[in-house]
Amino acid sequence: MKEYMKRNAVLLVLLAAAVAVSAAVIAGRWRVEAGNKQYDILIDYNEVELMAEQSGRDVSWWLEQFRDMGLTRVALTEETLASLMENSPLPVTATVMDAVLQDADWAESYPAAFVSAIEAYGYDRFDVLVEVFGREAAGFVVDAVERRFHSEDLVVLDQGEEAYILINSTVDDALYERDEGYYTTAGKSFSSRSVLSASKLMYVSLGLMPEKVERIQSLGLEVAPRTICYNNFNDARYTRAVIEGYERFGITPAYIIAGGESIVGYGGGEEILLDYIRDNGITVGLIETNVQRENLMQAGVDAVIEAADYNTVRVFSMWDYVQYRYGYYGYEGTEEIVNTLFRAIVERNIRVIYFKPFKQTDDSHVYITDPQVYREALESLNTRLAAHGITLGRASVMENYQVPALAMLALGLGAGLGGALLPDTFLPMKRKWTLLLAGAAGLCVGAAWLVMPNSFKLLASFAGAVVFACLAAAFFLRAAKGVGERLRPDAGLLRILPRAAGILLAAVLISLAGAMMTAAPLSSTDFMLELGIFRGVKLAQLLPLAFFCLLFVSYYGVFEKDRRENSLQVRDIVTALRWNIPVWALVLLGAVALAGYYYLARTGHETEVSVSTLEILLRNDLENWLLARPRTKEFLVAFPCVMLAVYSAVRRLPFWTALFGLAGTIGMTSVCNTFMHIRTPLYLGFVRTGYAVLLGLALGAVYMACFEALLRVYRAVRKKYFETEQR
């Protein structure tokens, strides 16, 4: 190891300088994250209304309860033709003309003046015909439609107590039901047809219901309006109508959260919306997807966010599967719901919770209607968040932080230099060849930095993760072999243990340097908001494992007990190809392969390979006991296995050195992987790794003692029975 460092001293100094640059970038990001310590909760009015129906209490009573719990904003979705038909007392009917025309005498059902007007205008089956009865309903619908749609797209007959409207729609807006099949008497398919049943414009927002706004504001709560937008109905006229609707009720929204196909104004009203956002200090909300990765990106959202200088927060919607987690995993109440919200806020930079009432786990239609349940859940959440300095209030916004271009170049050069140092860990490299390789890497990195700046940051981050995990694996394996050469095979555990602990600590520090090199290139606000994500997580986990296998053959050959070389030889390849693999080794390799598949397949939330309930409960307990939950695979498996690899090297057990070393390499990649989740605040990554090291050291000592006991039993049995039979 000393010879390697002396031979590559210049490159190692340059690599350390690159790590120092990453630390400076990380410090800037840390400052930004430290100021992002306030979260908000928006109460979903529609769901509270549904819960109120089951509770015997009215909506106002429930809103008052939530207000007393410290919640101040209510998310109120604008009405649509569809919602007016389904969930309001107003007598409103909207039908596509295709359905109307099914009745040959349809014209007799409508005023002659209206029929004449639409016949003169011209209509087709995609248009929407609206009937409204009652002065209140007619006033609301006619005013909303005329403000949002152009006059050339409307035919309106307003008779005071009733109104009839035809709205022009196109095939692009048509909504169809599933095909209806026809069958013969023998049960064979005969034909099918598509049923045109609705239009997108029936779901276009028409404004806030005055009665609901008054109810919310009378309780001293703020209205957080939700406007649902669809393409073809979202121009400058529509944008002005939406903003005027807010102003009519004295509403200045704290957040604009896009819904439907696009954000308000994406269709000609972009500048109107941007001026409104800038003049009123409004924050744009990004809804996280239901797999807890990236955001729902409606058309125009990214452009508005960039133009608003990233005045943006991430929003966690309580999807139905979260609402159903009452009494989940054997808990008595809301524990798992609180856990879910806590992780969203602490680990994923979520700063707005779109709150929906809880439901029974075994019945998706039945709400939990005890206000004390909600009070205790919010108290528990806020108590846990206080440990992280996070409080309830208007959501804080991260300032727009970007990695300087020259710092990005230095980070890329660092990853390139680290890559140039890898061949010398397993090949007999002379200094000049390593320097030439480093020079070539530097030229390639510089060219990539100039030609492809956007992709460069992802490549630099990926390279940093892979290179430093490989360097950490090379360090602990060579160090383990060195300890094995210096100590006798029968050395006591007390002599091996401190050396194994020191090697583990040093290897983790190398991986932490790689973690900073991984996180630094992506430490800009857009990545912290998960507008961009790290790519290649699984590949970054696999490559160091493959590299470890190459290293092991270089240092130990094919399980040689007294090998002196530390570089790959031609005979190693020949021996490996000619190796007669015993059956027990095949079985063990199969088990390792299955474990590897499970390890990779369960990465992320999109996979169908789920975590066991027992492990989830363990994770939950660790989250409650510690500031940050250490990664299970690190402290239970990987870190102790680094120590066991050192132990096996001393005991001259090359097979076990390989097996434990491979598991230990997973820990080196895991440290880097922790910091690949750019949305997660940096302090959590460092604290999490620190806990994992402490627990790993303790468990490593226990595992070594257990393995030592098993080894002694095995040797005693072999000596007593097998060696006796051979005599």
Side-chain angles (χ1 to χ4, degrees), residues 195-213:
V195 179
L196 173 60
S197 60
S199 170
K200 287 181 184 177
L201 67 77
M202 295 165 65
Y203 296 88
V204 172
S205 291
L206 298 179
L208 298 167
M209 183 64 71
E211 175 188 328
K212 296 178 180 178
V213 173

Side-chain angles (χ1 to χ4, degrees), residues 3-73:
E3 292 180 3
Y4 177 86
M5 296 180 67
K6 182 178 179 181
R7 187 166 60 248
N8 298 296
V10 174
L11 295 182
L12 288 172
V13 169
L14 293 174
L15 185 60
V19 173
V21 171
S22 75
V25 172
I26 289 295
R29 173 180 160 186
W30 192 299
R31 176 183 55 79
V32 171
E33 291 176 338
N36 188 32
K37 292 293 186 179
Q38 201 155 282
Y39 85 104
D40 203 351
I41 295 179
L42 304 184
I43 311 167
D44 187 303
Y45 182 94
N46 292 340
E47 293 249 3
V48 172
E49 194 172 41
L50 293 173
M51 178 179 65
E53 292 177 357
Q54 299 180 12
S55 68
R57 304 281 189 172
D58 62 15
V59 177
S60 295
W61 187 87
W62 274 104
L63 291 177
E64 193 173 7
Q65 299 302 307
F66 286 121
R67 182 197 63 190
D68 294 343
M69 297 176 202
L71 309 189
T72 61
R73 294 182 179 87

Side-chain angles (χ1 to χ4, degrees), residues 25 310 400-405 407-409 411-413 415 445 448-465 516-528 531-535 678:
V25 172
Y310 293 94
N400 185 6
Y401 179 71
Q402 299 295 324
V403 180
M408 189 70 71
L409 175 60
L411 296 170
L413 289 173
V445 168
W449 178 72
L450 288 171
V451 175
M452 38 191 276
N454 291 328
S455 299
F456 181 83
K457 61 182 70 174
L458 290 169
L459 292 172
S461 180
F462 176 80
M516 292 194 297
M517 292 288 288
T518 300
L522 305 183
S523 289
S524 54
T525 301
D526 51 333
F527 280 93
M528 287 188 275
L531 292 166
I533 61 172
F534 182 92
R535 304 288 180 181
I678 306 301

